[in-house]
Amino acid sequence: MFTPDILFRRAAIVKVIRAYFDELGFTEVETAVRLVAPAPEPHIDCPVAAGDTFLRASPELQMKKLLAVGMDRIYQIGPCFREGERGARHNPEFTMIEWYRRGEDYRKIAEDLKGLLLEL
């Protein structure tokens, strides 16, 4: 159960994340949560059905489409759903942060992560 204290701390963390990526020139995006078909991800069991659609396990494919049409630096903080991942450290619904830089390799993304962790 979430307490007000946890929700205040979560809000402060999200605020820092947004400020960090905004300062680096990223654009925050919001992609669809309900999809016509689940992404073919071999390591994710049991996509979550929602009527005649599915809830996203990750925003990856939708965000990569934005890169393909010319966006350079994007990030998203939003809900994801994975039915088969319940446990002491897993919940079927969770918040994920995902970011991309078009034309950069993993070293630049690792640098982003290191900077974000230092900010937090």
Side-chain angles (χ1 to χ4, degrees):
M1 172 150 173
F2 290 113
T3 64
D5 183 54
I6 290 171
L7 294 174
F8 288 133
R9 282 189 279 162
R10 181 192 183 282
I13 289 167
V14 170
K15 191 176 195 177
V16 169
I17 293 169
R18 284 191 169 109
Y20 175 76
F21 282 108
D22 292 347
E23 182 67 27
L24 291 177
F26 282 74
T27 300
E28 184 173 9
V29 298
E30 187 174 309
T31 60
V33 175
R34 290 173 57 132
L35 309 171
V36 175
E41 299 181 77
H43 302 292
I44 298 176
D45 296 331
C46 306
V48 179
D52 60 350
T53 62
F54 294 87
L55 299 177
R56 71 173 177 212
S58 159
E60 178 180 355
L61 296 180
Q62 295 87 346
M63 291 180 75
K64 287 183 175 176
K65 288 178 184 177
L66 296 175
L67 294 175
V69 298
M71 297 193 81
D72 289 321
R73 295 177 183 186
I74 56 175
Y75 75 97
Q76 180 168 192
I77 303 167
C80 292
F81 306 85
R82 297 181 184 177
E83 190 63 50
E85 298 192 18
R86 182 179 296 273
R89 296 184 182 265
H90 294 279
N91 194 4
E93 179 180 348
F94 58 96
T95 300
M96 178 184 285
I97 178 169
E98 189 131 356
W99 71 93
Y100 292 96
R101 292 173 166 269
R102 190 160 51 112
E104 298 283 357
D105 66 14
Y106 72 93
R107 291 176 291 229
K108 189 61 180 168
I109 301 298
E111 205 176 290
D112 291 337
L113 179 58
K114 181 178 178 182
L116 177 58
L117 293 174
L118 289 171
E119 276 301 304
L120 290 169

